[in-house]
């Protein structure tokens, strides 16, 4: 009789487990359907910086975001507006102010899209103490795909510059480009890539203090580089009279360096978010997805700058 009661209780417990499934609350605890916390979940929290990959159906939890589309629309408006402004200024067919207005609106939409994406992917999970369900490989490969497409953006301006070189060279408005400032700025940006690389290595080795120090150094070097580029623009525009309106070479120069400066500014923003989250203790040897993706972006930006210096600064003197 006792055995029959034990079997009955076991059957009831099994039935309860089947009808009252336990799910993960994102903080490493099981939660039953009535909202009660059942204890620690061995899988722990999930997300892009989580040490565990959840055993779930990714099709049902596929990450969808509207922010990349918003950013793409803004970029289209920015580039299209700039083209209309240049065309209108050169031909008079379209009022240049129309292009300027479109470019300004496009820039605002682009920045809003980027800010929304950063908040959705990096900031919101940090505030919630958990992340999404995408794997590390997914984020890394998506970043590589973005950088591959970004090559075409820089490529279009480089092709424009090469067409400028085919014409009469050198142009009369060519200022002294290759000076100590650009050399120092280049050294600063290369050094920032080195510090970022070793910061990531320190994180993988579990050395948090070294990771924070090198990541903070990378952030500082990025800010100094932007300050150096702003000072270079000031020198060219105020003292040399060399501006965006200084012929086709001026358009190519400021188009390429300005686009690169915009990418550096985005990278500095990304590193600042990493540093903030690192201070909160969000990263570890097995929680480095955000660090890996921003690191790829930063190394790409540095590589483009070295190529840009060789082609634009050094090449212009040849």
């Amino acid at each position: 009789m006792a055995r029959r009661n034990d079997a009955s209780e076991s059957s009831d417990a099994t039935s309860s487990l089947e009808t009252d499934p336990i799910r993960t609350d994102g903080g490493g605890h099981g939660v039953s359907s009535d909202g009660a916390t059942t204890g620690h979940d061995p899988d722990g929290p999930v997300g892009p910086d989580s040490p565990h990959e959840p055993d779930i159906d990714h099709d049902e939890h596929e990450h969808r975001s509207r922010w990349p589309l918003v950013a793409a629309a803004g970029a289209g408006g920015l580039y299209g507006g700039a083209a209309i402004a240049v065309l209108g200024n050169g031909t008079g067919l379209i009022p240049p102010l129309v292009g300027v207005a479109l470019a300004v609106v496009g820039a605002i939409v682009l920045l809003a899209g980027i800010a929304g994406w950063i908040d959705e992917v990096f900031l919101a999970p940090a505030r919630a103490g958990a992340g999404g369900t995408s794997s590390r490989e997914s984020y890394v490969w998506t970043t590589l795909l973005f950088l591959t497409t970004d090559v075409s953006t820089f490529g279009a301006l480089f092709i424009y510059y090469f067409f400028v070189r085919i014409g009469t060279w050198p142009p009369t408005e060519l200022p002294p480009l290759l000076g100590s400032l650009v050399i120092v700025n280049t050294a600063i940006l290369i050094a920032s890539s080195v510090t970022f690389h070793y910061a990531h290595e320190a994180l993988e080795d579990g050395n948090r203090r070294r990771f924070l120090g090198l990541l903070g150094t990378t952030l500082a070097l990025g800010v100094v580089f932007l300050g150096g580029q702003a000072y270079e623009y000031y020198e060219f525009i105020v003292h040399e009279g060399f501006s965006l309106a200084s012929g086709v070479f001026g358009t190519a120069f400021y188009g390429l360096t300005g686009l690169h400066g915009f990418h550096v500014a985005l990278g500095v923003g990304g590193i600042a978010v990493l540093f903030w989250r690192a201070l909160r203790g969000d990263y570890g040897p097995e929680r480095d997805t955000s660090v890996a993706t921003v690191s790829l972006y930063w190394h790409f930006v540095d590589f483009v700058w070295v190529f840009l210096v060789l082609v634009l600064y050094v090449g212009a003197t040849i």
Side-chain angles (χ1 to χ4, degrees):
M1 192 67 182
R3 291 181 180 178
R4 187 175 304 171
N5 290 338
D6 290 342
S8 176
E9 290 174 1
S10 175
S11 176
D12 292 341
T14 303
S15 176
S16 175
L17 288 174
E18 291 175 351
T19 58
D20 190 13
I22 296 175
R23 61 185 185 277
T24 301
D25 66 354
H29 298 85
V31 181
S32 63
S33 60
D34 60 0
T37 301
T38 61
H40 181 71
D41 181 356
D43 286 338
V46 297
D49 294 309
S50 169
H52 299 286
E53 179 73 15
D55 186 16
I56 58 175
D57 185 354
H58 284 271
D59 291 335
E60 294 180 1
H61 297 271
E62 183 180 353
H63 177 72
R64 298 177 183 272
S65 175
R66 66 180 181 277
W67 294 115
L69 294 177
V70 173
L78 174 61
Y79 298 147
I84 291 173
V86 172
L87 179 64
N89 189 53
T91 64
L93 296 175
I94 304 174
L97 287 178
V98 174
V100 172
L102 179 60
V104 169
V105 173
I108 294 173
V109 174
L110 172 61
L111 292 175
I114 293 173
W117 180 78
I118 291 176
D119 179 73
E120 183 178 77
V121 175
F122 295 105
L123 299 181
R127 291 193 299 266
T133 58
S134 297
S135 66
R136 183 185 193 277
E137 290 75 14
S138 174
Y139 275 92
V140 170
W141 280 107
T142 301
T143 302
L144 290 173
L145 179 61
F146 163 73
L147 296 179
T148 301
T149 59
D150 206 32
V151 170
S152 62
T153 303
F154 282 100
L157 286 176
F158 275 114
I159 290 173
Y160 172 72
Y161 170 70
F162 294 147
F163 271 105
V164 171
R165 289 300 301 264
I166 294 175
T168 304
W169 191 264
T172 56
E173 72 274 8
L174 185 64
L177 295 175
L178 193 59
S180 58
L181 182 58
V182 68
I183 294 174
V184 170
N185 247 10
T186 302
I188 288 173
L189 204 58
I190 292 175
S192 72
S193 238
V194 174
T195 56
F196 205 158
H197 170 75
Y198 284 106
H200 196 185
E201 281 199 350
L203 177 65
E204 292 176 337
D205 293 339
N207 192 333
R208 182 174 184 271
R209 183 175 180 180
R210 181 177 172 83
F211 167 62
L212 285 173
L214 289 172
L215 188 63
T217 302
T218 304
L219 177 60
L221 290 173
V223 172
V224 171
F225 175 86
L226 288 176
Q229 189 166 14
Y231 179 73
E232 181 185 56
Y233 280 5
Y234 170 79
E235 287 288 323
F236 283 154
I237 295 172
V238 176
H239 296 290
E240 301 292 341
F242 176 63
S243 66
L244 184 64
S246 300
V248 290
F249 179 75
T251 304
F253 177 84
Y254 285 101
L256 280 167
T257 57
L259 179 64
H260 179 268
F262 177 69
H263 279 71
V264 172
L266 293 179
V268 167
I271 296 172
V273 172
L274 292 184
F275 190 65
W276 170 68
R277 292 192 62 185
L279 291 174
R280 289 163 45 94
D282 288 349
Y283 301 120
E286 301 298 329
R287 302 190 305 277
D288 67 337
T289 301
S290 301
V291 179
T293 53
V294 177
S295 176
L296 283 173
Y297 176 86
W298 192 251
H299 294 323
F300 168 79
V301 168
D302 286 7
F303 173 79
V304 170
W305 175 254
V306 173
F307 183 74
L308 190 153
V309 168
L310 292 175
V311 172
L312 191 62
Y313 287 84
V314 178
T317 62
I318 300 176

